[in-house]
Amino acid sequence: MISKKKTIEMIDVIGQMYPDAECELVHENPFELTIAVLMSAQCTDAAVNRVTRTLFQKYKTPEDYLSVPVEELMEDIRSIGLFRNKAKNIQALCQILIDQYNGEIPREHSELVKLPGVGRKTANVVVSVAYGVPALAVDTHVERVSKRLGICKWKDNVLQVEETLCNKIPRERWNKTHHQLIFFGRYHCLARNPKCNECPLLIDCREGRKRKKVIIDAG
Ligand code: SF4
């Protein structure tokens, strides 16, 4: 694994590439954000945004989602992967919000992860994007980029990747870095065809060197 100092140098470069990186899920409040993140599991943000454009017009409150049969909600989100489970989770989540949280999305990570369909990553996104709490959500892009660059070990699980990133990156940079790593993975270091030829990190990237067979002068 690369050092903390080298990690920050790399994060700085990525930050210069995507200074305005931010959450691409369209939302207007913590509730909409939570619904959008829940739906984004194994699905692109663009696909979620296409659905929420009309979904958020039809359903504005937890009560709205519970006012229809689950089959109707399934139909409303059927272009999203795993739509049946997601519709069930949305209604279960809305019922708990009404019963236990006065209809509001809780601010505490420990409470968020108790909600149906809300895992650690979703909770991290919600607390950081909606409430500005430092958190570093690890999605598929963040994990891939961190491993390719050698910030984390190849065999690390998602939680280990998050812990390593949090150890190596200053806390005040977690939220912005999360979005910048996502943009870097989504638009540059793509899963299938990373743009190594034009990558400013190629010389330091173990995956890029392997792909390009760059000979590094160890001296
Ligand atoms: Fe990704 Fe290639 Fe850049 Fe490495 S060199 S970060 S694999 S694009």
Side-chain angles (χ1 to χ4, degrees), residues 84-98:
R84 290 186 184 85
N85 269 344
K86 288 175 182 175
K88 288 178 193 166
N89 280 335
I90 288 170
Q91 285 201 331
L93 177 147
C94 287
Q95 190 65 60
I96 293 174
L97 292 183
I98 292 168

Side-chain angles (χ1 to χ4, degrees), residues 39-116:
M39 289 203 297
S40 72
Q42 297 181 41
C43 183
T44 66
D45 286 2
V48 172
N49 288 339
R50 278 194 293 277
V51 168
T52 57
R53 197 178 302 139
T54 49
L55 190 77
F56 290 166
Q57 294 295 318
K58 181 174 178 181
Y59 306 100
K60 296 192 180 299
T61 65
E63 288 83 357
D64 290 343
Y65 284 96
L66 291 167
S67 69
V68 299
V70 71
E71 291 77 16
E72 183 173 333
L73 183 56
M74 287 177 184
E75 196 57 35
D76 290 332
I77 66 169
R78 70 172 299 119
S79 64
I80 298 283
L82 308 175
F83 68 93
R84 290 186 184 85
N85 269 344
K86 288 175 182 175
K88 288 178 193 166
N89 280 335
I90 288 170
Q91 285 201 331
L93 177 147
C94 287
Q95 190 65 60
I96 293 174
L97 292 183
I98 292 168
D99 292 345
Q100 299 180 25
Y101 299 101
N102 203 22
E104 305 282 334
I105 297 293
R107 289 172 174 262
E108 296 76 24
H109 190 279
S110 57
E111 295 298 313
L112 281 162
V113 292
K114 293 179 189 169
L115 299 172

Side-chain angles (χ1 to χ4, degrees), residues 6 18 28 32 34 73 80 83 99 115 124 140 198:
K6 178 57 80 178
Y18 301 103
E28 289 191 353
E32 287 187 354
T34 304
L73 183 56
I80 298 283
F83 68 93
D99 292 345
L115 299 172
N124 278 346
T140 181
E198 52 193 87

Side-chain angles (χ1 to χ4, degrees), residues 107-143:
R107 289 172 174 262
E108 296 76 24
H109 190 279
S110 57
E111 295 298 313
L112 281 162
V113 292
K114 293 179 189 169
L115 299 172
V118 178
R120 184 176 180 83
K121 188 207 79 174
T122 299
N124 278 346
V125 173
V126 172
V127 296
S128 65
V129 175
Y131 300 128
V133 176
L136 229 163
V138 177
D139 73 349
T140 181
H141 299 298
V142 174
E143 180 177 1

